[in-house]
Amino acid sequence: MLTTKQRAYLKSLAHNLDCAFQIGKNGVTPELTQAVDDYIKANELIKINVLNSCETDIKDVAEMLGGRTHSEVVQIIGKKLVLYSPSKTKPVIELPKAKNKNA
């Protein structure tokens, strides 16, 4: 689970990203899911554009892709969504540390 500070940091990184994929009338297909999963494993952060021709609501698209790729939805803004998943082997993005609630 991302903290507010971590989410804000990821949003700032995603601001300059180009959309890596567009989702159209075919929606979230297994091939698209696999391509997004491969991309997110390599880059940790991805921005996706959902076209008007996509019949699935963007929130549902984000939940589906997040669940299928084991990533977190960072942001949904307009017709764009941002997903994040830290690399298991060699992290590329260093998130701000979460504050310890017991301190």
Side-chain angles (χ1 to χ4, degrees):
M1 189 70 152
L2 296 171
T3 66
T4 305
K5 192 174 190 177
Q6 291 169 337
R7 191 172 304 277
Y9 178 70
L10 290 171
K11 286 179 185 180
S12 73
L13 292 177
H15 179 75
N16 295 323
L17 286 180
D18 292 326
C19 291
F21 295 97
Q22 292 185 349
I23 301 174
K25 65 181 179 179
N26 292 333
V28 181
T29 63
E31 295 80 14
L32 174 79
T33 303
Q34 184 61 51
V36 168
D37 192 41
D38 292 343
Y39 186 94
I40 208 165
K41 283 179 181 171
N43 299 290
E44 296 184 333
L45 193 64
I46 186 171
K47 187 188 281 187
I48 301 169
N49 187 26
V50 179
L51 302 175
N52 289 332
S53 60
C54 182
E55 295 178 4
T56 310
D57 182 63
I58 191 165
K59 291 180 183 175
D60 295 334
V61 169
E63 283 182 36
M64 274 191 272
L65 282 175
R68 293 177 185 176
T69 61
H70 307 290
S71 57
E72 289 202 47
V73 178
V74 173
Q75 179 180 35
I76 298 173
I77 186 162
K79 288 290 192 174
K80 293 181 175 39
L81 64 98
V82 177
L83 299 174
Y84 169 74
S85 180
S87 174
K88 306 286 186 243
T89 55
K90 190 172 139 187
V92 177
I93 299 172
E94 188 173 329
L95 292 177
K97 300 290 183 215
K99 290 185 180 176
N100 188 351
K101 292 182 180 182
N102 297 331

Short mmCIF file of all heavy atoms in Angstrom, two decimals, residues 53-99:
data_model
loop_
_atom_site.label_atom_id
_atom_site.label_comp_id
_atom_site.label_asym_id
_atom_site.label_seq_id
_atom_site.Cartn_x
_atom_site.Cartn_y
_atom_site.Cartn_z
N SER A 53 -13.39 4.82 -27.41
CA SER A 53 -14.01 3.63 -28.00
C SER A 53 -14.04 2.44 -27.03
O SER A 53 -14.75 1.47 -27.27
CB SER A 53 -13.29 3.23 -29.28
OG SER A 53 -11.93 2.94 -29.02
N CYS A 54 -13.30 2.53 -25.94
CA CYS A 54 -13.30 1.46 -24.94
C CYS A 54 -14.62 1.52 -24.16
O CYS A 54 -14.97 2.54 -23.58
CB CYS A 54 -12.12 1.61 -23.98
SG CYS A 54 -12.03 0.28 -22.75
N GLU A 55 -15.35 0.41 -24.17
CA GLU A 55 -16.66 0.37 -23.52
C GLU A 55 -16.57 0.17 -22.01
O GLU A 55 -17.52 0.41 -21.30
CB GLU A 55 -17.51 -0.72 -24.16
CG GLU A 55 -17.82 -0.45 -25.61
CD GLU A 55 -18.63 -1.55 -26.27
OE1 GLU A 55 -19.03 -2.51 -25.57
OE2 GLU A 55 -18.87 -1.44 -27.48
N THR A 56 -15.43 -0.26 -21.52
CA THR A 56 -15.24 -0.49 -20.09
C THR A 56 -14.86 0.81 -19.40
O THR A 56 -14.07 1.59 -19.92
CB THR A 56 -14.13 -1.53 -19.86
OG1 THR A 56 -14.38 -2.67 -20.68
CG2 THR A 56 -14.07 -1.96 -18.41
N ASP A 57 -15.43 1.06 -18.24
CA ASP A 57 -15.12 2.25 -17.46
C ASP A 57 -13.65 2.25 -17.07
O ASP A 57 -13.08 1.20 -16.77
CB ASP A 57 -16.00 2.29 -16.19
CG ASP A 57 -15.77 3.53 -15.37
OD1 ASP A 57 -16.05 4.63 -15.87
OD2 ASP A 57 -15.30 3.38 -14.22
N ILE A 58 -13.04 3.43 -17.07
CA ILE A 58 -11.60 3.53 -16.79
C ILE A 58 -11.24 2.99 -15.40
O ILE A 58 -10.19 2.40 -15.21
CB ILE A 58 -11.07 4.96 -16.99
CG1 ILE A 58 -9.55 4.96 -16.95
CG2 ILE A 58 -11.68 5.91 -15.99
CD1 ILE A 58 -8.90 6.20 -17.49
N LYS A 59 -12.13 3.17 -14.43
CA LYS A 59 -11.85 2.64 -13.09
C LYS A 59 -11.81 1.12 -13.10
O LYS A 59 -10.98 0.50 -12.43
CB LYS A 59 -12.89 3.16 -12.10
CG LYS A 59 -12.76 4.64 -11.83
CD LYS A 59 -13.80 5.13 -10.86
CE LYS A 59 -13.66 6.63 -10.69
NZ LYS A 59 -14.71 7.19 -9.85
N ASP A 60 -12.70 0.52 -13.87
CA ASP A 60 -12.71 -0.94 -14.00
C ASP A 60 -11.47 -1.44 -14.74
O ASP A 60 -10.89 -2.46 -14.38
CB ASP A 60 -13.97 -1.41 -14.72
CG ASP A 60 -15.24 -1.12 -13.93
OD1 ASP A 60 -15.16 -1.04 -12.68
OD2 ASP A 60 -16.31 -0.97 -14.55
N VAL A 61 -11.06 -0.70 -15.77
CA VAL A 61 -9.85 -1.04 -16.51
C VAL A 61 -8.65 -1.01 -15.57
O VAL A 61 -7.82 -1.92 -15.56
CB VAL A 61 -9.62 -0.08 -17.71
CG1 VAL A 61 -8.25 -0.27 -18.31
CG2 VAL A 61 -10.70 -0.27 -18.76
N ALA A 62 -8.56 0.05 -14.76
CA ALA A 62 -7.44 0.20 -13.82
C ALA A 62 -7.43 -0.94 -12.81
O ALA A 62 -6.37 -1.51 -12.53
CB ALA A 62 -7.54 1.55 -13.11
N GLU A 63 -8.60 -1.29 -12.27
CA GLU A 63 -8.67 -2.39 -11.30
C GLU A 63 -8.28 -3.72 -11.93
O GLU A 63 -7.55 -4.50 -11.34
CB GLU A 63 -10.09 -2.49 -10.73
CG GLU A 63 -10.41 -1.44 -9.70
CD GLU A 63 -11.82 -1.62 -9.13
OE1 GLU A 63 -12.26 -2.77 -8.97
OE2 GLU A 63 -12.45 -0.59 -8.86
N MET A 64 -8.76 -3.97 -13.16
CA MET A 64 -8.43 -5.22 -13.86
C MET A 64 -6.94 -5.33 -14.10
O MET A 64 -6.33 -6.35 -13.78
CB MET A 64 -9.16 -5.28 -15.20
CG MET A 64 -10.55 -5.83 -15.14
SD MET A 64 -11.18 -6.15 -16.80
CE MET A 64 -11.88 -4.56 -17.19
N LEU A 65 -6.36 -4.27 -14.70
CA LEU A 65 -4.92 -4.33 -14.99
C LEU A 65 -4.09 -4.37 -13.72
O LEU A 65 -3.10 -5.09 -13.65
CB LEU A 65 -4.52 -3.12 -15.84
CG LEU A 65 -4.87 -3.20 -17.31
CD1 LEU A 65 -4.54 -1.90 -18.01
CD2 LEU A 65 -4.16 -4.36 -17.98
N GLY A 66 -4.49 -3.62 -12.71
CA GLY A 66 -3.77 -3.65 -11.44
C GLY A 66 -3.78 -5.04 -10.81
O GLY A 66 -2.75 -5.53 -10.35
N GLY A 67 -4.93 -5.67 -10.82
CA GLY A 67 -5.05 -7.01 -10.26
C GLY A 67 -4.29 -8.06 -11.05
O GLY A 67 -3.60 -8.90 -10.49
N ARG A 68 -4.40 -7.98 -12.36
CA ARG A 68 -3.76 -8.99 -13.22
C ARG A 68 -2.25 -8.84 -13.30
O ARG A 68 -1.53 -9.81 -13.54
CB ARG A 68 -4.35 -8.92 -14.63
CG ARG A 68 -5.81 -9.35 -14.68
CD ARG A 68 -6.39 -9.20 -16.06
NE ARG A 68 -7.81 -9.51 -16.05
CZ ARG A 68 -8.60 -9.38 -17.10
NH1 ARG A 68 -8.10 -8.95 -18.25
NH2 ARG A 68 -9.87 -9.67 -17.01
N THR A 69 -1.75 -7.62 -13.09
CA THR A 69 -0.29 -7.40 -13.16
C THR A 69 0.33 -7.24 -11.78
O THR A 69 1.51 -6.96 -11.67
CB THR A 69 0.03 -6.15 -14.00
OG1 THR A 69 -0.56 -5.00 -13.39
CG2 THR A 69 -0.46 -6.29 -15.43
N HIS A 70 -0.47 -7.39 -10.74
CA HIS A 70 -0.01 -7.26 -9.35
C HIS A 70 0.63 -5.89 -9.13
O HIS A 70 1.72 -5.79 -8.56
CB HIS A 70 0.96 -8.39 -8.97
CG HIS A 70 0.40 -9.74 -9.26
ND1 HIS A 70 -0.65 -10.28 -8.56
CD2 HIS A 70 0.72 -10.65 -10.21
CE1 HIS A 70 -0.95 -11.48 -9.05
NE2 HIS A 70 -0.12 -11.72 -10.05
N SER A 71 -0.02 -4.86 -9.62
CA SER A 71 0.49 -3.50 -9.47
C SER A 71 -0.57 -2.63 -8.79
O SER A 71 -1.72 -3.03 -8.65
CB SER A 71 0.86 -2.92 -10.84
OG SER A 71 -0.25 -2.95 -11.71
N GLU A 72 -0.14 -1.45 -8.36
CA GLU A 72 -1.04 -0.52 -7.69
C GLU A 72 -1.43 0.60 -8.62
O GLU A 72 -0.61 1.10 -9.39
CB GLU A 72 -0.37 0.07 -6.45
CG GLU A 72 -0.21 -0.94 -5.35
CD GLU A 72 -0.07 -0.28 -3.99
OE1 GLU A 72 -0.86 0.63 -3.68
OE2 GLU A 72 0.84 -0.67 -3.27
N VAL A 73 -2.70 1.00 -8.52
CA VAL A 73 -3.16 2.15 -9.29
C VAL A 73 -2.67 3.39 -8.56
O VAL A 73 -3.00 3.62 -7.40
CB VAL A 73 -4.70 2.16 -9.40
CG1 VAL A 73 -5.16 3.39 -10.16
CG2 VAL A 73 -5.19 0.88 -10.07
N VAL A 74 -1.85 4.18 -9.23
CA VAL A 74 -1.31 5.40 -8.65
C VAL A 74 -2.28 6.55 -8.88
O VAL A 74 -2.55 7.34 -7.98
CB VAL A 74 0.07 5.75 -9.28
CG1 VAL A 74 0.56 7.10 -8.80
CG2 VAL A 74 1.07 4.67 -8.98
N GLN A 75 -2.82 6.62 -10.11
CA GLN A 75 -3.63 7.76 -10.47
C GLN A 75 -4.52 7.43 -11.65
O GLN A 75 -4.15 6.71 -12.55
CB GLN A 75 -2.69 8.91 -10.85
CG GLN A 75 -3.35 10.18 -11.28
CD GLN A 75 -2.33 11.26 -11.63
OE1 GLN A 75 -1.26 10.95 -12.15
NE2 GLN A 75 -2.63 12.49 -11.33
N ILE A 76 -5.73 7.99 -11.61
CA ILE A 76 -6.62 7.99 -12.76
C ILE A 76 -6.99 9.45 -12.97
O ILE A 76 -7.54 10.09 -12.08
CB ILE A 76 -7.89 7.16 -12.52
CG1 ILE A 76 -7.55 5.70 -12.26
CG2 ILE A 76 -8.85 7.30 -13.70
CD1 ILE A 76 -8.73 4.85 -11.84
N ILE A 77 -6.64 9.97 -14.12
CA ILE A 77 -6.95 11.36 -14.41
C ILE A 77 -7.46 11.45 -15.84
O ILE A 77 -6.75 11.09 -16.78
CB ILE A 77 -5.76 12.30 -14.14
CG1 ILE A 77 -6.16 13.73 -14.30
CG2 ILE A 77 -4.57 11.96 -14.97
CD1 ILE A 77 -5.20 14.71 -13.67
N GLY A 78 -8.70 11.85 -16.00
CA GLY A 78 -9.32 11.89 -17.31
C GLY A 78 -9.39 10.49 -17.89
O GLY A 78 -9.96 9.59 -17.31
N LYS A 79 -8.78 10.30 -19.04
CA LYS A 79 -8.75 9.00 -19.71
C LYS A 79 -7.39 8.33 -19.61
O LYS A 79 -7.06 7.44 -20.38
CB LYS A 79 -9.13 9.17 -21.18
CG LYS A 79 -10.60 9.47 -21.40
CD LYS A 79 -11.40 8.25 -21.08
CE LYS A 79 -12.83 8.36 -21.54
NZ LYS A 79 -13.55 7.11 -21.35
N LYS A 80 -6.58 8.77 -18.65
CA LYS A 80 -5.25 8.18 -18.46
C LYS A 80 -5.16 7.55 -17.08
O LYS A 80 -5.74 8.04 -16.12
CB LYS A 80 -4.17 9.25 -18.63
CG LYS A 80 -4.07 9.77 -20.06
CD LYS A 80 -3.00 10.80 -20.18
CE LYS A 80 -2.77 11.27 -21.58
NZ LYS A 80 -3.87 11.46 -22.45
N LEU A 81 -4.40 6.47 -16.99
CA LEU A 81 -4.17 5.84 -15.71
C LEU A 81 -2.70 5.51 -15.56
O LEU A 81 -1.99 5.33 -16.54
CB LEU A 81 -5.04 4.58 -15.55
CG LEU A 81 -4.82 3.41 -16.48
CD1 LEU A 81 -3.95 2.37 -15.81
CD2 LEU A 81 -6.15 2.79 -16.84
N VAL A 82 -2.26 5.49 -14.32
CA VAL A 82 -0.86 5.21 -14.01
C VAL A 82 -0.81 4.03 -13.04
O VAL A 82 -1.53 4.02 -12.03
CB VAL A 82 -0.17 6.44 -13.38
CG1 VAL A 82 1.27 6.12 -13.00
CG2 VAL A 82 -0.23 7.64 -14.32
N LEU A 83 0.02 3.05 -13.35
CA LEU A 83 0.22 1.87 -12.51
C LEU A 83 1.67 1.79 -12.06
O LEU A 83 2.58 2.19 -12.79
CB LEU A 83 -0.13 0.59 -13.27
CG LEU A 83 -1.56 0.44 -13.78
CD1 LEU A 83 -1.67 -0.82 -14.63
CD2 LEU A 83 -2.55 0.40 -12.64
N TYR A 84 1.86 1.23 -10.86
CA TYR A 84 3.21 1.07 -10.31
C TYR A 84 3.35 -0.31 -9.69
O TYR A 84 2.46 -0.78 -8.98
CB TYR A 84 3.49 2.13 -9.24
CG TYR A 84 4.74 1.87 -8.44
CD1 TYR A 84 6.00 2.09 -8.98
CD2 TYR A 84 4.67 1.38 -7.14
CE1 TYR A 84 7.15 1.84 -8.27
CE2 TYR A 84 5.82 1.13 -6.41
CZ TYR A 84 7.05 1.36 -6.97
OH TYR A 84 8.19 1.11 -6.25
N SER A 85 4.48 -0.93 -9.95
CA SER A 85 4.83 -2.19 -9.31
C SER A 85 6.34 -2.22 -9.13
O SER A 85 7.08 -2.15 -10.12
CB SER A 85 4.38 -3.37 -10.17
OG SER A 85 4.73 -4.59 -9.54
N PRO A 86 6.82 -2.31 -7.89
CA PRO A 86 8.28 -2.34 -7.69
C PRO A 86 8.88 -3.63 -8.25
O PRO A 86 8.27 -4.68 -8.20
CB PRO A 86 8.43 -2.27 -6.18
CG PRO A 86 7.14 -2.78 -5.63
CD PRO A 86 6.09 -2.44 -6.64
N SER A 87 10.08 -3.50 -8.77
CA SER A 87 10.80 -4.65 -9.31
C SER A 87 11.20 -5.56 -8.15
O SER A 87 11.65 -5.10 -7.10
CB SER A 87 12.04 -4.18 -10.06
OG SER A 87 12.82 -5.27 -10.46
N LYS A 88 11.05 -6.84 -8.37
CA LYS A 88 11.42 -7.83 -7.33
C LYS A 88 12.94 -8.00 -7.24
O LYS A 88 13.47 -8.31 -6.19
CB LYS A 88 10.77 -9.17 -7.62
CG LYS A 88 9.28 -9.12 -7.81
CD LYS A 88 8.56 -8.92 -6.50
CE LYS A 88 7.06 -9.03 -6.71
NZ LYS A 88 6.31 -7.86 -6.41
N THR A 89 13.63 -7.79 -8.36
CA THR A 89 15.06 -8.05 -8.39
C THR A 89 15.91 -6.79 -8.28
O THR A 89 16.80 -6.73 -7.44
CB THR A 89 15.44 -8.79 -9.69
OG1 THR A 89 14.99 -8.03 -10.81
CG2 THR A 89 14.83 -10.17 -9.73
N LYS A 90 15.64 -5.81 -9.11
CA LYS A 90 16.49 -4.62 -9.15
C LYS A 90 15.62 -3.37 -9.27
O LYS A 90 15.28 -2.93 -10.37
CB LYS A 90 17.42 -4.74 -10.35
CG LYS A 90 18.52 -3.70 -10.41
CD LYS A 90 19.48 -4.07 -11.52
CE LYS A 90 19.88 -2.81 -12.25
NZ LYS A 90 20.68 -3.09 -13.44
N PRO A 91 15.20 -2.78 -8.14
CA PRO A 91 14.33 -1.61 -8.18
C PRO A 91 14.95 -0.44 -8.94
O PRO A 91 16.13 -0.14 -8.78
CB PRO A 91 14.12 -1.25 -6.71
CG PRO A 91 14.46 -2.47 -5.95
CD PRO A 91 15.48 -3.20 -6.78
N VAL A 92 14.15 0.20 -9.77
CA VAL A 92 14.57 1.36 -10.55
C VAL A 92 14.19 2.65 -9.82
O VAL A 92 14.96 3.59 -9.76
CB VAL A 92 13.92 1.32 -11.95
CG1 VAL A 92 14.29 2.55 -12.76
CG2 VAL A 92 14.31 0.06 -12.69
N ILE A 93 13.00 2.65 -9.25
CA ILE A 93 12.47 3.84 -8.57
C ILE A 93 12.63 3.66 -7.07
O ILE A 93 12.20 2.66 -6.50
CB ILE A 93 10.98 4.03 -8.91
CG1 ILE A 93 10.82 4.25 -10.42
CG2 ILE A 93 10.41 5.21 -8.13
CD1 ILE A 93 9.38 4.26 -10.88
N GLU A 94 13.22 4.66 -6.43
CA GLU A 94 13.35 4.64 -4.97
C GLU A 94 12.28 5.54 -4.38
O GLU A 94 12.31 6.76 -4.56
CB GLU A 94 14.74 5.12 -4.55
CG GLU A 94 14.98 4.93 -3.06
CD GLU A 94 16.42 5.25 -2.66
OE1 GLU A 94 17.33 5.05 -3.47
OE2 GLU A 94 16.59 5.71 -1.52
N LEU A 95 11.33 4.93 -3.69
CA LEU A 95 10.22 5.68 -3.09
C LEU A 95 10.65 6.37 -1.80
O LEU A 95 11.53 5.86 -1.09
CB LEU A 95 9.06 4.74 -2.78
CG LEU A 95 8.32 4.13 -3.96
CD1 LEU A 95 7.26 3.17 -3.45
CD2 LEU A 95 7.71 5.19 -4.84
N PRO A 96 10.01 7.49 -1.47
CA PRO A 96 10.26 8.10 -0.16
C PRO A 96 9.86 7.10 0.93
O PRO A 96 8.91 6.33 0.77
CB PRO A 96 9.33 9.32 -0.13
CG PRO A 96 8.98 9.58 -1.56
CD PRO A 96 9.08 8.27 -2.27
N LYS A 97 10.60 7.11 2.03
CA LYS A 97 10.32 6.18 3.12
C LYS A 97 9.02 6.54 3.81
O LYS A 97 8.68 7.70 4.00
CB LYS A 97 11.46 6.23 4.16
CG LYS A 97 12.81 5.85 3.59
CD LYS A 97 12.88 4.40 3.27
CE LYS A 97 14.27 4.05 2.78
NZ LYS A 97 14.27 3.05 1.77
N ALA A 98 8.29 5.51 4.20
CA ALA A 98 7.05 5.69 4.96
C ALA A 98 7.40 6.00 6.40
O ALA A 98 8.36 5.44 6.96
CB ALA A 98 6.18 4.44 4.87
N LYS A 99 6.66 6.90 7.01
CA LYS A 99 6.90 7.23 8.41
C LYS A 99 6.45 6.08 9.29
O LYS A 99 5.44 5.43 9.03
CB LYS A 99 6.14 8.49 8.80
CG LYS A 99 6.69 9.74 8.18
CD LYS A 99 5.97 10.95 8.69
CE LYS A 99 6.54 12.21 8.07
NZ LYS A 99 5.82 13.40 8.47
#
